[in-house]
Each structure stands twice: as C-alpha cells, then as structure tokens.
C-alpha cells in the first residue's frame, strides 16, 4: 500500500458518520477556548457592573462617618476609571482576535502573541484593581460602622498616625496584593496556560519549517 | 434568512467534505469532532465577509478551517496529540468487516492522530491534492520546506503503522 494510492479512498470518503447541522442558531454557538474566554470576560463585566450598583446603593444607605464616605467615593471612582480603561482594552482585543483568513503561520503567531499580551494585561488589571477594591470595601465598612481605633487614629490630636496603625495598614495592603498576585496567576495558568503552551508548541513547529 | 446566509449555507453544504475530513484528522473522539465542526462553521461564518471570490471558496475554506482546527483546544480528559497510540488497534474487528480500502483509510486516520498539529495540516493538504506551492502558501512556509517536511511525515506514518502491526509502504 502506497500513501498516494490512499488518495482514491480519501476522495471517496464521504464521512457518512458525520452530520452538518446548518442553521442560524448554530452559527452563534462556540466551544473553543477563545469563545469561552469571550464569555468569561462578558460575565465578568456584567458582575462588575452589578457590584458597582450594589456598592453605590450600600454607600448611600445610612451613612455614619462622612470622612470614610468621602474616602470610599474617591477609591470607588478610581477603581471605576481603571476598570473602564481595561475593559475597553479587552473589548478591542476580543473584537480583533481570531482572524483566521491569514496564512496558518501568521494566524497562529498573531493569536499566540495577542493572547499572551492580554493575559498579562488582565494580570496587571487585577493586580491594580483588586487591592483597590479591598481598600474600597474596608472604607465602605468603616463608613457604616464606627471604627473607634481608626477614627481615633485619624482624628487624634497628634499629626501623625501611630506606628502600630501604620504597620496595620501596610500589612493589610501588602497582604491584599500578595493574595491577588497568587490568585490571578493561578487562575490564568489553570484557565489558559495549557492553551498558550499548546499554541506556542504549534508556533515552534511552524518555526522549524520557515 | 437573508441572501448572505443562504449563500454561505449553500457553499458550506457543497464543501462539507473538507470540514468532515479535517475533523477526522484533528479529533478522534465523536463529541470533539462535532464541537470542532461547529467551531469551524462559526469561524467561517464570522470570516465570510473577507471572502471576495478572488480564489476558489474551497481554498479560502481550507485556510480558515485549518486555522480553527489548529487553534481549537478543548478541556478534555485525554489529548490524542500527547498520547501514544496503543499498538492493539481497538477497532480491528469493526474494520475487518469493511473493505480493504476503507480498512487502510481507517488505519491512516488512526495513525495521523500521532502527528502534531502542523504535520496534520501538511498531510491533510497533501491528501487534498494540493501542490507543494499551494501547501506552502496556506501554511506560510517555503515550498522546499513543504516538500522536505512531507517526505519526513510519510516516513513517520510508515513507522507508526509498522508499530500498529500494519505494513504501510
């Protein structure tokens, strides 16, 4: 048997066990990683918008500490600006990704590069936004509940925060950054790491040919 | 359904054999094949506006479908690309009932599962009677490389089928 002799059987093969279901509905369904990535990002945006609405509702409900209310508003708007900026970047990316009409080498290199770039942007976004959100949440809680030690520290007669409180604030910020960094890296590696490795392998295989 | 959709569905239906064979080359599991088929149809639909009729629809389709198949990656329990094929062919009984040609082709499909994604694209285009120049254009490589690599793939397939206790010259 010669591989070229197989071509007759290949041409005759009608793959009778497969069926093509062609309808408009099936044109909107996707099961690929890129498709899931788009869906995940959409779900993330919706849940973020909902959480902003809830935070604003809670913020204006029964304000007890004007100072912490003002701090919360500043932090909230800062995180909102960061979120809008990054999600705009993601939107532009997901609109452009997956152009398959180029040559295979160019398409795969483009997808690999863009996916890697955007996972890094996603990490950067999370790294900058989540600790800010943690601080916003703490300020929000503080605006509802009178934290005597924090209030005393801020409204105390001395002009500087006590050393212990400064250490406490530093530890809280540091911890939120560390937890965010570990969680985001784990999330990206488990969700898209294998896919990226696979694409890089294809790129290497193509590189050997060119 | 508008005229664009009608035209698209007609073209896809006329060339569905291309999609079926790519699915069989790239996935050996029925469910994965169906998912890949759906994804290729979706990507072809999304890219349909870029088809301007300058080349044959089938040529344009090869590129989109193969790109989709290569970039397609499912969360699955097992990955054919990473696995060694068991030497005892699990569908031997089923195949023995089929004709000799079908038997050889089924063996070919099984052996191809051990190639990497780029090699699969090369052998697929070769089986579709594409010239070395056409293969090179689709893949974005030089014709010389396409020829050399195809020769190596044929040798590799020969080795694989030998291991499968099937002489494949």
């Amino acid at each position: 048997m010669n591989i070229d002799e197989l071509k007759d059987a290949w041409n005759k093969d009608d793959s009778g066990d497969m069926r093509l279901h062609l309808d408009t509905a099936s044109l909107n369904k996707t099961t690929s990683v890129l498709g899931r990535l788009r869906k995940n990002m959409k779900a993330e945006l919706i849940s973020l918008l909902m959480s902003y609405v809830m935070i604003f509702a809670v913020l204006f409900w029964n304000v007890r500490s004007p100072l912490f209310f003002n701090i919360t508003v500043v932090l909230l708007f800062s995180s909102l600006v960061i979120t809008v900026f990054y999600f705009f970047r993601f939107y532009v990316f997901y609109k452009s990704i997956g152009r398959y009409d180029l040559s295979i080498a160019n398409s795969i290199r483009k997808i690999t590069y863009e996916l890697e770039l955007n996972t890094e942007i996603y990490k950067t976004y999370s790294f900058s936004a989540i600790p800010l959100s943690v601080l916003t949440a703490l300020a929000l809680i503080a605006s509802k509940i009178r934290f005597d030690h924090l209030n005393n520290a801020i409204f105390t007669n001395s002009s500087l925060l006590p050393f212990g409180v400064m250490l406490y604030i530093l530890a809280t910020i540091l911890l939120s950054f560390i937890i965010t960094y570990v969680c985001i890296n784990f999330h990206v590696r488990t969700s898209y790491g294998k896919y990226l490795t696979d694409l890089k392998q294809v790129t290497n295989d193509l590189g050997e040919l060119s | 359904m508008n005229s664009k959709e009608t035209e698209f569905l007609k073209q896809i239906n006329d060339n569905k054999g291309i999609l079926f064979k790519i699915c069989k080359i790239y996935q050996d599991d029925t469910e994965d094949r169906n998912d890949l088929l759906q994804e290729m149809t979706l990507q072809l639909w999304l890219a349909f506006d870029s088809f301007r009729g300058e080349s044959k629809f089938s040529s344009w389709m090869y590129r989109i479908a193969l790109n989709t198949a290569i970039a397609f990656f499912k969360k699955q329990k097992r990955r054919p690309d990473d696995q060694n094929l068991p030497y005892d062919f699990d569908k031997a009984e089923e195949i023995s009932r089929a004709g000799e040609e079908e038997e050889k082709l089924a063996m070919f499909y099984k052996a191809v599962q051990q190639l990497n994604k780029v090699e699969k694209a090369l052998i697929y285009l070769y089986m579709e009677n594409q010239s070395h120049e056409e293969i090179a254009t689709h893949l974005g490589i030089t014709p010389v490389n396409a020829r050399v690599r195809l020769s190596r793939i044929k040798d590799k397939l020969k080795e694989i089928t030998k291991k499968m206790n099937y002489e494949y010259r």
Side-chain angles (χ1 to χ4, degrees):
Chain A
M1 184 173 67
N2 187 296
I3 190 165
D4 291 305
E5 287 172 5
L6 260 184
K7 283 186 177 177
D8 285 336
W10 173 271
N11 292 330
K12 284 178 197 164
D13 179 27
D14 62 355
S15 304
D17 55 332
M18 292 191 76
R19 291 280 176 274
L20 185 60
H21 301 287
L22 284 177
D23 54 62
T24 314
S26 69
L27 296 178
N28 294 316
K29 291 177 185 168
T30 178
T31 50
S32 71
V33 169
L34 289 179
R36 281 205 308 272
L37 211 130
R38 284 192 186 98
K39 278 184 183 172
N40 289 347
M41 201 49 70
K42 195 176 174 184
E44 208 167 303
L45 178 64
I46 291 167
S47 55
L48 257 172
L49 291 174
M50 284 171 68
S51 62
Y52 272 110
V53 171
M54 283 170 65
I55 289 170
F56 271 109
V58 172
L59 187 63
F60 284 96
W61 172 71
N62 190 24
V63 178
R64 295 185 70 174
S65 168
L67 176 69
F68 282 111
F69 176 86
N70 295 340
I71 292 173
T72 311
V73 168
V74 171
L75 288 171
L76 205 56
F77 283 133
S78 305
S79 69
L80 191 62
V81 168
I82 290 172
T83 302
V84 168
F85 171 75
Y86 277 104
F87 272 86
F88 179 72
R89 287 293 312 269
F90 292 137
Y91 175 78
V92 171
F93 165 62
Y94 293 119
K95 277 283 174 192
S96 69
I97 201 172
R99 265 199 66 199
Y100 291 127
D101 53 340
L102 307 166
S103 73
I104 289 171
N106 286 338
S107 282
I108 298 301
R109 281 192 199 110
K110 184 174 177 284
I111 292 170
T112 310
Y113 169 74
E114 287 183 337
L115 193 65
E116 197 166 21
L117 180 69
N118 273 268
T119 50
E120 290 305 318
I121 293 173
Y122 181 72
K123 282 185 202 172
T124 313
Y125 159 69
S126 306
F127 194 62
S128 58
I130 290 181
L132 196 60
S133 305
V134 171
L135 291 175
T136 310
L138 286 175
L140 189 67
I141 293 165
S143 71
K144 297 275 159 240
I145 306 162
R146 191 166 287 279
F147 281 123
D148 288 338
H149 61 286
L150 267 178
N151 277 318
N152 288 339
I154 290 166
F155 293 114
T156 186
N157 289 331
S158 63
S159 57
L160 295 174
L161 285 173
F163 186 67
V165 174
M166 281 199 290
L167 274 183
Y168 174 76
I169 292 170
L170 178 68
T172 307
I173 293 170
L174 207 60
L175 194 66
S176 67
F177 269 96
I178 291 168
I179 291 170
T180 304
Y181 182 80
V182 172
C183 291
I184 292 304
N185 273 295
F186 179 75
H187 169 62
V188 168
R189 199 166 55 245
T190 51
S191 300
Y192 311 114
K194 201 171 182 185
Y195 181 60
L196 258 174
T197 309
D198 192 58
L199 280 177
K200 280 179 184 171
Q201 184 56 52
V202 174
T203 309
N204 288 341
D205 291 338
L206 283 162
E208 286 172 15
L209 296 177
S210 41
Chain B
M1 198 179 287
N2 60 38
S3 60
K4 182 188 162 191
E5 283 178 20
T6 310
E7 173 62 18
F8 173 74
L9 296 177
K10 183 188 174 298
Q11 292 277 23
I12 293 292
N13 204 41
D14 291 348
N15 294 281
K16 62 188 177 189
I18 291 174
L19 301 181
F20 289 161
K21 284 173 186 164
I22 291 177
C23 287
K24 286 169 86 169
I25 289 273
Y26 276 89
Q27 303 290 335
D28 68 347
D29 178 86
T30 309
E31 195 184 332
D32 292 342
R33 280 178 187 172
N34 288 331
D35 285 344
L36 176 57
L37 186 61
Q38 187 171 302
E39 187 63 24
M40 286 194 297
T41 314
L42 172 70
Q43 293 304 332
L44 284 161
W45 169 243
L46 292 175
F48 191 51
D49 284 336
S50 71
F51 175 65
R52 294 184 183 87
E54 290 159 0
S55 58
K56 280 202 298 183
F57 184 81
S58 57
S59 297
W60 175 81
M61 198 170 171
Y62 283 136
R63 193 170 286 190
I64 308 276
L66 281 171
N67 269 321
T68 310
I70 290 172
F72 186 78
F73 184 77
K74 280 193 70 179
K75 276 186 180 173
Q76 49 196 21
K77 290 168 196 159
R78 59 200 173 80
R79 297 193 52 224
D81 282 359
D82 296 344
Q83 282 186 332
N84 288 324
L85 195 74
Y87 296 160
D88 296 327
F89 187 40
D90 57 359
K91 290 186 179 172
E93 194 182 329
E94 182 188 322
I95 280 173
S96 67
R97 290 196 294 268
E100 194 189 351
E101 270 199 336
E102 285 81 3
E103 182 185 344
K104 289 173 183 172
L105 191 63
M107 187 64 70
F108 168 78
Y109 276 124
K110 205 71 188 169
V112 158
Q113 296 305 315
Q114 290 202 48
L115 302 178
N116 69 37
K117 287 181 169 182
V118 177
E119 291 170 334
K120 283 177 180 178
L122 273 155
I123 202 72
Y124 169 79
L125 290 168
Y126 176 75
M127 294 303 283
E128 286 287 297
N129 285 320
Q130 297 281 297
S131 68
H132 290 123
E133 285 74 20
E134 286 170 320
I135 293 173
T137 307
H138 285 306
L139 266 77
I141 59 174
T142 64
V144 175
N145 276 329
R147 190 178 296 115
V148 171
R149 193 62 179 257
L150 265 168
S151 171
R152 286 186 197 155
I153 294 168
K154 285 181 193 174
D155 289 343
K156 194 172 175 180
L157 281 172
K158 194 175 172 184
E159 284 302 309
I160 293 167
T161 45
K162 263 185 187 172
K163 285 180 183 172
M164 291 163 73
N165 297 322
Y166 194 95
E167 189 59 32
Y168 187 76
R169 296 176 201 95

